[in-house]
Amino acid sequence: MSLTGTPFFATAIMVAALAVLVPLLGWHRVKGSALVRGAVRLLMVVTAQASAVLVVFVAVNDANGLYDTWGDLLGTDSHVVAAPDLGADGTGGHGVAGRPRVRQSFTAADESDLGAGVRVTQLTGRVSGAEGEVYVWLPPQYDDPAFRDKDFPVAELLPGYPGSARDWFTNLDVARQLAPLMNKGEVKPFILVAPRTSLLPGRDTGCANVPGVVNADTWLSVDVRKMVTDNFRADTEADGWAVAGISAGAHCSAKLAIEHPDRYRAGIALSGYNDPAAEPGSVTAGDPALRRRTDPLWMLTHAKRPPRTSLFLTGQSGDGYEDGLALRAAAKPPTRIWVRETAGGHLNSVWRPLVPDLFRWLSGQVSGVKSAQHPRPAPLTGRMGAHAAVVRAAAGGGVRGEK
């Protein structure tokens, strides 16, 4: 059973209620010597207290989308099968365009808190050597016959650390908020993709490639991307792709958008940071050279040429705002950066209301629905909210600001 969602929360509440009820009804019915009676009563009290703590933990975990599984919580699960040195381009020098399609099985993600139409697959990254779940939501227009020969833009959604891939759907309500705006034409019909980012037990990957440790960058920007374009009518060009993240995921989105303008045209970063050491558990922070190379500000100022990408960064003073201003000050055309100051803390309740405006902005940065430019994957059998489907897959000038 997942540590997030209604079933586990309801179970925890029932256990807590039972743990309180048992001593109320059985306190004076305990038999045996004084020592035995004392031990049993102490056990009942401790159990009641532990169950109450469990309810609080589950509530906090649900509210913040921290841990999906016991393995994530205990730091015992690794999602890295191999981590070869893939070179500067993150593909091992072989690219991905010529790699064959592979059939990928999707099932309905039936947790009610995810909302309707979300599907999930377990992906094995054939290039990165990482593996994990990837959630996908299709826009309302996807099944419209008028769009059957059209490619759709894609937004890759990244949680914080620790964080669940489900977080954007559960705690930020991204699909519920955007679906009506897509129907009204206020927001482009994005395919929303939320991959696992917690790949190492008890450590944040920083969305970087670290040979021998993890290839998180390639997992997100190559393997997940190819899975989407192989499975769905998704744009294959950078103009149709964006990445968005919160907290540690915001650091990742800025990093990926700056580092890979050939893969992403825009990025959204909510309460992020530039220096990887801002996350003590980051695998990139311990090595000075790696820490420097994975800092979005350093990457921007040391790029051979300014990347053609757009970024929208938000944060409050001391929590991402100054980092965003630093990136905006360093940007040169064609890089474009917007910064918005927020207030209220490092919380989902602060980020959630920003989603509609940010995706309106994002709709102006990426290409919209366009005629298909590549062979179509096998057609889906309908929206996944109702059933499972099997589809095809692979395992400064020009700178604007807003305050």
Side-chain angles (χ1 to χ4, degrees), residues 236-254:
T236 59
E237 304 298 325
D239 283 346
W241 276 74
V243 58
I246 58 175
S247 191
H251 166 78
C252 288
S253 64

Side-chain angles (χ1 to χ4, degrees), residues 26-159:
W27 190 266
H28 295 293
R29 298 183 182 184
V30 178
K31 298 180 179 180
S33 66
L35 180 62
V36 171
R37 293 196 306 272
V40 172
R41 288 168 176 168
L42 178 62
L43 179 61
M44 289 192 293
V45 171
V46 170
T47 301
Q49 291 178 330
S51 62
V53 171
L54 177 62
V55 170
V56 173
F57 162 77
V58 176
V60 172
N61 191 51
D62 276 356
N64 295 280
L66 302 177
Y67 302 102
D68 266 343
T69 67
W70 288 105
D72 288 341
L73 174 62
L74 301 175
T76 58
D77 285 353
S78 174
H79 292 264
V80 177
V81 177
D85 188 342
L86 297 175
D89 69 350
T91 68
H94 301 296
V96 295
R99 293 179 181 268
R101 298 175 185 268
V102 179
R103 297 190 65 86
Q104 186 79 16
S105 178
F106 280 80
T107 58
D110 54 6
E111 299 97 326
S112 60
D113 56 343
L114 280 170
V118 180
R119 62 195 73 190
V120 63
T121 189
Q122 294 294 322
L123 176 66
T124 297
R126 296 181 169 231
V127 182
S128 67
E131 60 185 10
E133 68 274 17
V134 182
Y135 292 88
V136 178
W137 179 86
L138 302 177
Q141 293 87 343
Y142 193 88
D143 289 330
D144 187 332
F147 291 82
R148 63 186 177 184
D149 294 321
K150 303 296 184 180
D151 285 343
F152 288 78
V154 181
E156 201 168 350
L157 309 175
L158 310 180

Side-chain angles (χ1 to χ4, degrees), residues 271 316 319 342-347 350-351:
S271 300
Q316 64 182 16
D319 185 27
T342 58
H346 197 84
L347 299 169
V350 173
W351 303 321

Side-chain angles (χ1 to χ4, degrees), residues 121-379:
T121 189
Q122 294 294 322
L123 176 66
T124 297
R126 296 181 169 231
V127 182
S128 67
E131 60 185 10
E133 68 274 17
V134 182
Y135 292 88
V136 178
W137 179 86
L138 302 177
Q141 293 87 343
Y142 193 88
D143 289 330
D144 187 332
F147 291 82
R148 63 186 177 184
D149 294 321
K150 303 296 184 180
D151 285 343
F152 288 78
V154 181
E156 201 168 350
L157 309 175
L158 310 180
Y161 174 81
S164 165
R166 306 159 69 256
D167 203 21
W168 275 81
F169 291 111
T170 55
N171 291 315
L172 270 64
D173 291 328
V174 64
R176 292 187 186 96
Q177 291 197 75
L178 295 185
L181 300 180
M182 292 178 182
N183 280 324
K184 291 187 291 187
E186 294 182 25
V187 168
K188 287 179 179 175
F190 288 93
I191 296 174
L192 303 179
V193 181
R196 167 176 280 272
T197 56
S198 295
L199 302 174
L200 296 172
R203 302 174 75 187
D204 173 37
T205 68
C207 298
N209 282 358
V210 185
V213 179
V214 65
N215 285 320
D217 183 321
T218 298
W219 160 252
L220 295 170
S221 69
V222 176
D223 285 329
V224 170
R225 177 190 175 89
K226 181 162 173 50
M227 182 276 289
V228 174
T229 57
D230 280 357
N231 273 280
F232 304 100
R233 300 195 308 275
D235 199 329
T236 59
E237 304 298 325
D239 283 346
W241 276 74
V243 58
I246 58 175
S247 191
H251 166 78
C252 288
S253 64
K255 172 188 174 295
L256 293 172
I258 291 170
E259 186 173 13
H260 301 299
D262 59 326
R263 301 171 195 174
Y264 303 99
R265 185 58 62 233
I268 293 172
L270 308 181
S271 300
Y273 49 84
N274 293 329
D275 186 351
E279 172 48 63
S282 174
V283 70
T284 62
D287 182 314
L290 186 59
R291 174 181 173 181
R292 181 177 62 252
R293 291 199 306 270
T294 55
D295 181 324
L297 181 59
W298 188 93
M299 295 167 62
L300 186 60
T301 56
H302 288 77
K304 292 182 179 179
R305 59 182 63 87
R308 184 182 167 224
T309 194
S310 299
L311 285 172
F312 200 127
L313 306 104
T314 77
Q316 64 182 16
S317 180
D319 185 27
Y321 180 58
E322 290 83 1
D323 294 74
L325 294 179
L327 285 170
R328 189 177 69 183
K332 299 178 182 179
T335 307
R336 300 187 298 166
I337 295 181
W338 287 252
V339 181
R340 176 183 292 180
E341 186 173 14
T342 58
H346 197 84
L347 299 169
N348 289 318
S349 59
V350 173
W351 303 321
R352 188 185 305 114
L354 300 176
V355 168
D357 279 350
L358 291 174
F359 272 80
R360 290 186 182 99
W361 170 85
L362 192 60
S363 295
Q365 310 306 312
V366 302
S367 60
V369 176
K370 62 185 183 182
S371 298
Q373 299 296 314
H374 58 91
R376 303 271 35 95

